[in-house]
Amino acid sequence: MLAGAGSGASMGPWSQAATTLTRECPISSFADATFTPPERIRNFSIIAHIDHGKSTLADRILQLTGVVDPRAMRAQYLDRMDIERERGITIKAQNVRLPWVAPGVDGPETEYVLHLIDTPGHVDFTYEVSRALEACEGAVLLVDAAQGIEAQTLANLYLAMDKNLTIIPVLNKIDLPAADPDRYAQEIAHIIGCDADSVLRVSGKTGAGVRELLDEVVRLVPAPVGNPDGPARAMIFDSVYDAYRGVVTYVRVVDGRITPREKITMMSTGSTHEALEVGIISPEPKACVGLGVGEVGYLITGVKDVRLSRVGDTVTTTRNGATEPLVGYRDPKPMVYSGLYPMDGSDYPVLRDALDKLQLNDAALTYEPETSVALGFGFRCGFLGLLHMEITRDRLEREFNLELISTAPNVVYRLVLEDGAEHQVVNPSYWPEGKVREVFEPMVKCTVIAPTEYIGTIMELCQHRRGELGGMDYLSESRVELRYTMPMGEIMFDFFDALKSRTKGYASLDYEESGEQAADLVKVDILLQGEAVDAFSAIVHRDNAFAYGNRMTSKLRELIPRQQFEVPIQAAIGSKIISRENIRAIRKDVLAKCYGGDISRKRKLLEKQKEGKKRMKTVGRVEVPQEAFVAALSSDSASSSGEKTKK
């Protein structure tokens, strides 16, 4: 799948494709046929923990199948976005169609079509993995032969098992000096329930074992099943927006066939369009004569409205179309909320259009308009995690040339007032007036995998963050899995950094949503000269309120410039002040021209200055520069750096 939602990442491949497309079937042995027989198609994805070599293995597969010219080959070929290459992580799942000749089920060599989907490994992009698995019948479970099974390895394995996919266990990086494939093959066999000798061993760097892996994919992954003569039904599993060609929709055909120049209908919206172009990704866009049962490809209808191509929708033909849609995807639930505001208020419409287009490419992103007294008009955005939040902001700034301020991230709380009324609080400024009876905060189930010598250190950290131990299992003699239930708000900022530093980098973390729980939470307001600044307000546990108030007042005292009058900076819970700092006034030397003479003259000038400053304080207003907002809020969320969240 081609990443990019605006004029940045997606324009290149699609604008080039517009002039280089051919109408030939890409697999030579099927050149005379219109569609590939389903029994010769294998759809599979590569799933793994982050940095276990998925993209590198995909590079070797591209080279081995010959779909990329050697002169055009580059590292991380399927990672289309600059931000993916800079960080060395996959953000968008990428689909590619490959030819492969392998020993057939009946004996002689046969040419097959492989649809490979390279998926992200980070926990924040699990939704990308789950959508990719819906388009597959098998999954290659990749494990680093030097690090073994880690938290996200298990999470992705369980996703694939829930969808009843065929699992092919593979050990990667066997060429590393620290590799111990025999030991980790036993770990994989213990978890999956297979024989350790059946675990394949490959090197994504040297290409060793890749040919045998593709042969195993052909042998073990079942062919797609569907009705080739029935009404057409195709599932939309991703979309991108291209400035030249409009909405590009990626589909997996389940029944029937989709051909160019026929009328198609989106079943959820009822909108009808003409399929101007139908094609495949191999690995660049190539138009073809159509898509049949089990095939993965793209549709271009020329539509510019991004809301007409919803991920999870069913595409059918307008004439003799299907009446029953396919089962769509469960909408992801945001875990973290943050406000995004343009530095220049006139960029608000640009930000709205940018979020529209980015949401088409990232279905896990949610947003709604909001207004801040301090920051003006912006959007309250929902993300799956801190890295997701940072990547989204980075893409908005790069692809749409925006300068943005993001408020401190927070989670969603449910409040019950004394009169029984309930409120959902996604922003501290929405905290209701009146006495609060109970506050419920979202909880997550955390899985930590680490060497056994760090058990005590990890337990101490998790208990300090209000975690409850749910269980502990030994994966082997030297590695242990700990399961904790913790508040989402406690793991948002620096929990992963603390975990890595206390375990010398050996621990890995995964988490998933786990309901809600009552907690003693309060809203801390930051007051400037008695007026609350909503951008700095936060909802914290009562035990941490004093520390947060001290930190913010000290920080703002350094960031806000001195005024003509003294400015108090206070942190308050309701009407109770818990911390205070003062910004001293700029004082003009009114005694500069006084020399000698009676002291009463000097006192008179000082009293006059004092009265003037007192009067100015009653009518004056503290101006907080944008730089102060950026510095205060960014340093609060500094631990959300993507480099620090490599798990």
Side-chain angles (χ1 to χ4, degrees), residues 369-398:
E370 75 168 2
T371 307
S372 164
V373 175
L375 303 175
F377 293 100
F379 293 91
R380 168 69 34 178
C381 302
F383 309 95
L384 297 182
L386 290 180
L387 181 61
H388 185 208
M389 181 188 83
E390 187 180 359
I391 294 294
T392 300
R393 174 179 168 175
D394 207 340
R395 289 185 66 185
L396 287 170
E397 291 180 338
R398 287 171 183 241

Side-chain angles (χ1 to χ4, degrees), residues 92 127-135 237-238 311 329 361 363:
K92 288 293 297 177
Y127 185 63
E128 285 285 323
V129 180
S130 66
R131 288 192 309 175
L133 294 178
E134 287 284 356
F237 62 90
D238 201 8
V311 169
Y329 301 114
N361 188 229

Side-chain angles (χ1 to χ4, degrees), residues 85-104:
R85 297 177 175 284
E86 290 169 10
R87 293 173 179 263
I89 59 175
T90 300
I91 296 168
K92 288 293 297 177
Q94 312 286 345
N95 165 255
V96 62
R97 176 175 172 137
L98 311 162
W100 184 245
V101 177

Side-chain angles (χ1 to χ4, degrees), residues 321-569:
T323 55
E324 287 294 320
L326 298 166
V327 178
Y329 301 114
R330 180 172 58 90
D331 289 335
K333 185 177 180 182
M335 305 280 277
V336 175
Y337 283 84
S338 175
L340 287 179
Y341 296 85
M343 290 275 259
D344 183 352
S346 62
D347 284 340
Y348 176 78
V350 181
L351 176 59
R352 182 183 58 229
D353 292 342
L355 285 169
D356 262 345
K357 292 171 182 174
L358 199 62
Q359 191 182 44
L360 179 74
N361 188 229
D362 183 0
L365 172 67
T366 63
Y367 64 93
E368 59 182 24
E370 75 168 2
T371 307
S372 164
V373 175
L375 303 175
F377 293 100
F379 293 91
R380 168 69 34 178
C381 302
F383 309 95
L384 297 182
L386 290 180
L387 181 61
H388 185 208
M389 181 188 83
E390 187 180 359
I391 294 294
T392 300
R393 174 179 168 175
D394 207 340
R395 289 185 66 185
L396 287 170
E397 291 180 338
R398 287 171 183 241
E399 297 175 19
F400 300 95
N401 298 318
L402 289 166
E403 289 188 40
L404 301 174
I405 300 174
S406 57
T407 61
N410 60 277
V411 297
V412 185
Y413 300 97
R414 182 169 67 90
L415 274 61
V416 180
L417 303 183
E418 284 292 344
D419 59 4
E422 289 194 5
H423 291 269
Q424 293 279 347
V425 177
V426 298
N427 185 335
S429 62
Y430 298 162
W431 190 276
E433 298 292 333
K435 195 168 183 182
V436 177
R437 184 198 303 165
E438 276 186 306
V439 181
F440 293 90
E441 63 179 341
M443 307 294 289
V444 292
K445 285 183 180 177
C446 294
T447 302
V448 179
I449 295 179
T452 51
E453 60 262 32
Y454 300 112
I455 291 177
T457 304
I458 295 170
M459 285 184 165
E460 180 187 358
L461 174 63
C462 293
Q463 287 168 3
H464 179 67
R465 300 300 179 98
R466 300 189 285 135
E468 293 182 6
L469 182 63
M472 183 170 66
D473 290 320
Y474 284 86
L475 301 177
S476 64
E477 292 180 0
S478 58
R479 286 160 67 79
V480 66
E481 174 189 354
L482 296 110
R483 296 182 296 278
Y484 270 89
T485 301
M486 300 180 67
M488 179 66 190
E490 291 288 347
I491 71 168
M492 272 204 317
F493 293 109
D494 59 346
F495 176 75
F496 187 66
D497 290 346
L499 180 67
K500 279 290 190 184
S501 64
R502 294 190 185 201
T503 60
K504 298 182 181 177
Y506 285 109
S508 63
L509 172 71
D510 178 43
Y511 60 86
E512 63 179 7
E513 185 185 356
S514 178
E516 60 181 17
Q517 182 175 298
D520 186 14
L521 302 174
V522 294
K523 178 191 176 188
V524 178
D525 285 314
I526 303 299
L527 311 177
L528 285 182
Q529 205 176 343
E531 291 185 11
V533 182
D534 56 353
F536 296 133
S537 298
I539 299 170
V540 298
H541 194 270
R542 192 178 295 274
D543 295 342
N544 301 328
F546 181 71
Y548 175 81
N550 267 346
R551 187 169 69 251
M552 287 302 293
T553 52
S554 300
K555 196 183 301 179
L556 289 174
R557 184 170 67 87
E558 298 170 2
L559 294 171
I560 297 176
R562 292 170 68 184
Q563 314 285 319
Q564 290 287 344
F565 48 89
E566 185 179 67
V567 178
I569 306 173

Side-chain angles (χ1 to χ4, degrees), residues 50-225:
I50 192 169
D51 211 24
H52 277 208
K54 296 179 296 299
S55 298
T56 307
L57 177 61
D59 287 346
R60 300 292 81 75
I61 292 175
L62 292 177
Q63 284 182 313
L64 188 61
T65 54
V67 295
V68 180
D69 189 283
R71 292 174 299 177
M73 190 63 199
R74 61 178 185 269
Q76 291 177 264
Y77 190 90
L78 292 179
D79 290 345
R80 307 281 181 172
M81 290 187 288
D82 292 339
I83 191 171
E84 291 179 309
R85 297 177 175 284
E86 290 169 10
R87 293 173 179 263
I89 59 175
T90 300
I91 296 168
K92 288 293 297 177
Q94 312 286 345
N95 165 255
V96 62
R97 176 175 172 137
L98 311 162
W100 184 245
V101 177
V105 179
D106 301 327
E109 286 194 339
T110 310
E111 190 165 7
Y112 289 88
V113 171
L114 306 181
H115 285 133
L116 161 66
I117 301 181
D118 178 26
T119 63
H122 196 280
V123 61
D124 282 13
F125 306 114
T126 301
Y127 185 63
E128 285 285 323
V129 180
S130 66
R131 288 192 309 175
L133 294 178
E134 287 284 356
C136 300
E137 281 77 38
V140 171
L141 180 69
L142 205 62
V143 178
D144 190 327
Q147 297 182 14
I149 291 174
E150 299 198 58
Q152 200 61 22
T153 310
L154 293 178
N156 288 336
L157 171 62
Y158 297 149
L159 278 176
M161 293 174 71
D162 286 344
K163 300 182 189 305
N164 297 316
L165 300 188
T166 300
I167 308 296
I168 302 177
V170 178
L171 279 169
N172 190 24
K173 303 186 183 181
I174 58 172
D175 57 302
L176 291 179
D180 191 352
D182 294 334
R183 171 187 168 192
Y184 294 124
Q186 292 289 346
E187 268 192 21
I188 296 172
H190 172 69
I191 289 177
I192 297 181
C194 65
D195 184 9
D197 295 333
S198 66
V199 178
L200 299 177
R201 304 180 183 194
V202 305
S203 169
K205 182 178 180 181
T206 65
V210 178
R211 182 176 296 275
E212 291 77 9
L213 169 59
L214 294 182
D215 287 342
E216 282 294 287
V217 168
V218 170
R219 188 174 70 86
L220 297 176
V221 175
V225 177

Side-chain angles (χ1 to χ4, degrees), residues 278-321:
V278 178
I280 58 166
I281 309 294
S282 183
E284 304 300 330
K286 295 180 182 177
C288 66
V289 292
L291 298 173
V293 170
E295 292 191 278
V296 177
Y298 68 87
L299 294 172
I300 296 179
T301 58
V303 174
K304 296 290 186 180
D305 188 351
V306 297
R307 287 175 286 273
L308 295 180
S309 283
R310 294 180 52 230
V311 169
D313 197 359
T314 302
V315 178
T316 187
T317 52
T318 306
R319 183 179 179 184
N320 299 325

